[in-house]
Amino acid sequence: MQWRRQDPSGEPPEGSDPELWQLFQGSPEAREQGLWELAEELRRQLRASSLPGPDTRFRSRLRASLVREAESRRRAPRGRLGFALGAGMGTLGVAMLAAVVVSLVVVPRASAPVTVVAGVAGQHQLPVTTAIRLSFSQPMDEAAVDRGIRIAPAVAYQASWPDPRTLLITPRDELEANVGYVVTIVRPDAVSESGAKAASTIVIPFGTSPQPATPVAQPPTLVSITPGPQLPGPGSAVGSGVGGELVLTSGSLIQLGGAALTSPSPTASASVSPSPSASATPTPTPTPSSSPSGSGGVQGEWLYALTPEPVLISSDALDAVLSPDREEVAWWSPRADGDLVLEVAAAAGGGSPQALAASAETDPGLGWLDDGDLLYSAAGQLRQVSLDGQVTTVDSQLSISSDGFFLLSPGAAQLYSDPGGVPTVYDLASGGQAPLSELVGLPTWSAGSGELAYVADGGSGETIEVSSDAGLRSRQVLAAPSGSALAGLSFDPSGSYLAYTESGVGAGPLLELADVQSQATAALGDFASVADPVWSPSGDQLTVIGSGSAGSPSQLQTLQLTGPTLTTGAAAAQQEALNTASQLAQLQVSSGMGAAAAIQALLAPGASLGQSTLLPGHFDRFYAVSSAPGPGSAYVVQLRLVRDATSSSPPTYLAETVTVVSEPDGNRVSALSQGQLTSVPNGPLVLSATLGQTSSGAAVVQIRFNSDLEPSSVGPQSITLRSGTTELQDLTFSYQPLTRTETITAPALGSGRVTLIVAPPLADVDGTTIQ
C-alpha cells in the first residue's frame, strides 16, 4: 500500500518556452513519457533553422482555435480535433501544430468512464461506527454525486469531500447492527468534472456485525472450539482485521505441514532517517530464515495475518497496533544503527510496508489517533505522523514515562502512561487524570462503550475494575479467589462482556467471560496455558493462544460462541426454545469447521435432517422473527436467513420454521423446514418486536427497525396493537431515532393473543413506505 502526495507545480525550466510549459503543466503523464522534451527539441531545431516565418495572423487564429477546442473537449465526450489554418502557415506552423497535438492526445479523454473503489464493499462484519469512503478515478462533480446517493436501508447521513476524488458518507447515528446495506449512485449523477460518467450505476454492498443480545446475567456460551496453526514459540494476538483476519506476532516462524512459512512475504521494506521530514527509500527485505534479526539489542517478532492461512507482513516487528478501521497495522522495526523505523501495511497482508518515521527512543509507544494519523513519543513529547510521512509535535502537557511508553484508547479519548513509575490515565478531552496505584499489568478499553477495564490488587486479592470516566471512579466487576491471578482482559465489540483468564495456585488457567453490568460470569474452557483473547468483529468468536495439555505447543484456538436473541417478557420455556433455534441459525450462517457436529448435538433423538437443510451456506446473517407454542410441549420458531446484496443481485432471505421440543437434558430441534429464496422488499423492515410489562401492570412493546424512519409517519396511523380481537386504546407512542426503536405503552393487556400490526403510512427518511 502506498500513500502519495501531489507534487507542487513549479516554474518552467530556464530557457524553455512558457507557452509549451503551460500546455504540459496539467499532464504529468506526458512529461513522464518524454513528450515535453520532444516538443522542446522540435522548438529548438526549428528556431535554429532559416525557414521563413508564419503568417502574422496565424498565431491569433491558432490560439483562438486551441481555446475553442479545449472548451469543446471539456464539454463533449467525443469532440473532433480541428483547427482553422492559414494558407501561409509554413514549416514552423506545422511543427507547432505537431507539438500541440502531442500535448492534446495525452490529456485524459472525457469519455473515459468513472470508476470507484470502496474499502467497505463486500464486507459483512463491519463495525456499526463505519463511515463509508469512496475513492473515484477522476475529480467529480460533487453536487451531482451528492444528488445521486441512495442508501438502503435508508440512513440519515452527511456527505463531505476531503478532495474532489474522495467522498466520505458519515451516518448521523451508528448503523444498525446485523444489517446488510447497499450504497448506490445512479449513473446520470455519477459524473466527473470533465463530464465523464460511470459505465453503470455504482453499487456498493456491505454489512454490519451483529452485537450479542443475551438475557441479563447470561453471557454468551460456548458452542465449539476449532484448533488453528501451532506457534513454535511465544506469540501474541494484535487484534482482528476488518475482514476477520487475525493479526498476530510470533517469536518463531509458524510451521505449516512441517515446513516453515517463507512465502508470501513482504517484497520491500523501507528506511528513513530520524529527521521528521525525511523521505522513505525502499530497500530489499531479507528472506526470512529462522528468527527476526533485530539490532542494537532490540529484536522484533514475525508479524502475520491469519486469513485463514498465515500471511507474513513483517519479519521484524515491535508494538504492532491496528488502525481504528482495522484496515492497517503499524509497528516499529529495528534497524542496524539501533534506531526504530515506524512502518505501516495492510492488515490483511500483501503489498509492501511504508516507512513513516524513525525514532531513537527505546520504547516510543504507538497508537492510532484516527485512521490517517498515529502518535508516538520522542524526547518526552508526543509526535503525530500522518500516513504520508508528515511529522508534527503535539502541543501537550501530558507527562509520558521516561522510556516513552504509552497506550492510547480507541478514538484517542484517553491515554495511559506511567511517569515516575505512577500508572496514570489521562482524559484527553477534559484534561483530567487518575492514578491507578493498584494497577496490575496494563489497562484496556472498550471500542463499543468507551469504558476502561483493569486488574487491581489492593492486598486482599485481585479484582477487575471498570470505569466510564478514565479511572476517576471505578466499579468492581468481580473479585478473584485468594491466590488467583487475573489477566488478558478483552472487551467484546459491544462493550457488554469482558473475556479474561484466571490462574489459581497449582491449576491451569481458565478462560472466562463476565457480564460487565450484571457481573455474572461463565467459564469457556480449562487450558494448560491460554493468553490474549481476541474477539471477532461480529462478537460471536473468541480466538486465544493456548494449549490443551501441559508440554504441548501453543496453538491458535477459535471458540464459537452463541448470543441468543432476547425477547423481553417471554416465558422461560419459550425463551429457551428461541435460544435453541438461534443457536441453530448461527451455526447455519457461520457454516464453519465443527458446525455440522455442533448442529447434530442440537437435534432431538431420532431427528435426522439432510445436509443441504442443515447447512444451506452462503448466508451472511439471521433474524429470529417470532416464537409461538406448538403441539404438546413444543415451540415453533420462525427464522430468517439473509444473504446480503452484491453489486449485481439484491438481498434475499430464506424463511425457516424450526420446531423445538423439551428434552430431559435441555431443548432440542425436532424438525426444520425451509421456504423459497425470496428478495428482501424495499422500505423499512421490523428487526424485532418485544413485549414487556411494568411493575404497575402497563404493557410495553418495543419495535426495532432497520431504517431511519420519518418520525411523523410513526404512530397510531401506522401501528395497531390488539389483545385477542380487541384493538387497544389510549396507547402512548415514542420514537428514538438514535436506536431506530418505537416504544408503545398500553395501560393494560386483556387475555388472549397479542397481535402487533405495522403498516403504511410508516416510511423511512427517503419516503419509502413499509411493505
Side-chain angles (χ1 to χ4, degrees):
M1 183 176 294
Q2 299 287 333
W3 291 271
R4 302 176 61 186
R5 299 175 60 203
Q6 185 176 0
D7 294 327
S9 54
E11 297 296 322
E14 185 176 357
S16 63
D17 185 273
E19 293 184 1
L20 281 178
W21 175 257
Q22 188 173 9
L23 284 170
F24 281 90
Q25 186 75 355
S27 180
E29 296 86 353
R31 297 200 300 274
E32 292 172 0
Q33 295 169 11
L35 298 179
W36 154 251
E37 290 80 6
L38 175 61
E40 274 293 297
E41 180 64 20
L42 282 171
R43 186 184 69 88
R44 285 193 295 270
Q45 290 182 11
L46 290 168
R47 289 189 61 180
S49 69
S50 57
L51 295 171
D55 181 358
T56 55
R57 294 168 296 176
F58 165 72
R59 285 182 179 272
S60 60
R61 291 201 300 268
L62 177 61
R63 184 181 298 277
S65 297
L66 288 174
V67 170
R68 287 195 302 272
E69 179 64 18
E71 288 296 324
S72 66
R73 289 180 64 82
R74 272 194 287 269
R75 292 190 174 93
R78 289 184 170 85
R80 292 180 63 92
L81 183 62
F83 297 95
L85 303 178
M89 179 175 176
T91 308
L92 178 57
V94 173
M96 292 180 63
L97 174 60
V100 171
V101 172
V102 167
S103 68
L104 286 176
V105 297
V106 297
V107 175
R109 295 187 54 159
S111 59
V114 171
T115 59
V116 65
V117 175
V120 301
Q123 303 287 343
H124 300 288
Q125 302 289 333
L126 293 172
V128 294
T129 54
T130 294
I132 306 155
R133 183 183 296 271
L134 280 65
S135 299
F136 293 90
S137 59
Q138 302 179 33
M140 301 300 290
D141 183 335
E142 297 174 9
V145 174
D146 288 350
R147 287 194 304 270
I149 298 173
R150 305 288 186 271
I151 304 178
V155 171
Y157 64 89
Q158 179 181 20
S160 58
W161 292 84
D163 60 73
R165 293 173 182 258
T166 305
L167 169 61
L168 190 64
I169 301 173
T170 305
R172 179 193 63 190
D173 304 313
E174 290 184 351
L175 296 173
E176 189 64 34
N178 195 32
V179 167
Y181 288 90
V182 180
V183 176
T184 59
I185 303 175
V186 295
R187 183 176 182 271
D189 293 327
V191 59
S192 71
E193 290 179 351
S194 66
K197 295 182 180 179
S200 60
T201 294
I202 293 171
V203 180
I204 301 169
F206 66 94
T208 55
S209 300
Q211 293 181 342
T214 60
V216 176
Q218 184 179 326
T221 56
L222 179 65
V223 175
S224 60
I225 300 179
T226 302
Q230 291 184 355
L231 301 182
S236 61
V238 177
S240 181
V242 67
E245 61 273 357
L246 180 70
V247 181
L248 70 153
T249 60
S250 175
S252 303
L253 275 174
I254 294 179
Q255 305 288 319
L256 287 177
L261 174 70
T262 58
S263 180
S265 63
T267 57
S269 184
S271 174
V272 297
S273 71
S275 171
S277 60
S279 60
T281 304
T283 58
T285 296
T287 300
S289 54
S290 58
S291 64
S293 55
S295 52
V298 180
Q299 179 171 305
E301 295 181 307
W302 306 97
L303 179 63
Y304 294 98
L306 199 65
T307 63
E309 298 298 328
V311 176
L312 184 61
I313 299 175
S314 172
S315 60
D316 211 359
L318 295 168
D319 299 337
V321 286
L322 281 172
S323 60
D325 61 8
R326 306 197 307 276
E327 291 188 358
E328 285 83 38
V329 59
W331 68 93
W332 291 105
S333 181
R335 68 181 186 183
D337 60 4
D339 286 351
L340 301 175
V341 176
L342 174 57
E343 296 187 329
V344 65
S352 302
Q354 178 82 4
L356 303 182
S359 174
E361 304 283 331
T362 304
D363 188 349
L366 190 60
W368 288 85
L369 183 63
D370 51 40
D371 290 326
D373 299 271
L374 294 109
L375 288 183
Y376 68 96
S377 63
Q381 290 183 308
L382 289 176
R383 290 191 176 177
Q384 178 178 339
V385 56
S386 61
L387 293 184
D388 62 359
Q390 296 296 310
V391 180
T392 56
T393 299
V394 178
D395 183 15
S396 173
Q397 303 300 316
L398 297 179
S399 298
I400 305 299
S401 60
S402 57
D403 62 4
F405 175 76
F406 70 92
L407 290 174
L408 199 61
S409 71
Q414 301 170 18
L415 180 144
Y416 165 81
S417 191
D418 55 349
V422 180
T424 305
V425 175
Y426 299 89
D427 188 314
L428 301 183
S430 66
Q433 55 181 284
L436 304 179
S437 57
E438 299 176 352
L439 179 74
V440 177
L442 296 174
T444 189
W445 285 272
S446 164
S449 66
E451 290 187 308
L452 169 77
Y454 61 96
V455 177
D457 189 353
S460 58
E462 294 187 354
T463 61
I464 293 180
E465 309 287 328
V466 171
S467 171
S468 58
D469 55 6
L472 291 174
R473 295 180 300 274
S474 299
R475 69 181 189 277
Q476 187 180 111
V477 173
L478 64 89
S482 178
S484 293
L486 302 172
L489 302 186
S490 178
F491 275 105
D492 80 304
S494 69
S496 302
Y497 311 107
L498 262 174
Y500 64 96
T501 63
E502 178 181 341
S503 302
V505 178
L510 282 172
L511 179 63
E512 299 181 279
L513 285 182
D515 185 309
V516 174
Q517 297 301 323
S518 70
Q519 304 178 14
T521 61
L524 296 181
D526 190 356
F527 297 83
S529 65
V530 63
D532 292 347
V534 172
W535 292 86
S536 67
S538 61
D540 61 352
Q541 289 184 341
L542 193 63
T543 300
V544 298
I545 298 175
S547 60
S549 59
S552 60
S554 295
Q555 190 172 22
L556 290 173
Q557 311 271 356
T558 299
L559 287 73
Q560 180 72 45
L561 307 177
T562 181
T565 303
L566 173 62
T567 303
T568 306
Q574 187 169 355
Q575 176 66 62
E576 291 174 5
L578 188 63
N579 294 348
T580 301
S582 297
Q583 289 184 43
L584 172 66
Q586 183 170 337
L587 289 165
Q588 288 178 289
V589 169
S590 63
S591 192
M593 293 178 61
I599 288 177
Q600 193 65 37
L602 288 175
L603 298 182
S608 178
L609 304 178
Q611 189 70 13
S612 61
T613 303
L614 288 177
L615 296 173
H618 306 293
F619 286 90
D620 302 297
R621 58 197 77 251
F622 81 91
Y623 301 105
V625 180
S626 66
S627 176
S633 61
Y635 282 86
V636 178
V637 181
Q638 301 295 333
L639 298 175
R640 182 176 292 172
L641 307 183
V642 178
R643 181 180 296 168
D644 285 351
T646 68
S647 58
S648 58
S649 62
T652 54
Y653 71 92
L654 182 73
E656 283 193 339
T657 301
V658 181
T659 303
V660 180
V661 296
S662 177
E663 297 287 336
D665 58 345
N667 287 331
R668 294 289 185 270
V669 174
S670 63
L672 183 152
S673 62
Q674 296 175 332
Q676 299 295 318
L677 199 61
T678 306
S679 294
V680 175
N682 295 325
L685 295 176
V686 173
L687 295 184
S688 65
T690 60
L691 174 64
Q693 196 170 25
T694 67
S695 58
S696 62
V700 178
V701 176
Q702 286 193 323
I703 315 170
R704 190 156 191 173
F705 296 89
N706 68 342
S707 309
D708 285 335
L709 301 183
E710 170 53 50
S712 63
S713 72
V714 188
Q717 73 274 31
S718 56
I719 300 176
T720 303
L721 195 63
R722 293 175 180 169
S723 179
T725 58
T726 304
E727 183 173 328
L728 298 180
Q729 304 296 321
D730 300 325
L731 303 180
T732 302
F733 296 85
S734 175
Y735 176 62
Q736 293 294 329
L738 184 64
T739 59
R740 303 176 181 89
T741 301
E742 174 72 9
T743 301
I744 308 164
T745 304
L749 290 178
S751 59
R753 179 184 295 270
V754 177
T755 305
L756 172 70
I757 302 172
V758 185
L762 186 139
D764 59 31
V765 290
D766 289 342
T768 307
T769 57
I770 192 168
Q771 297 182 25

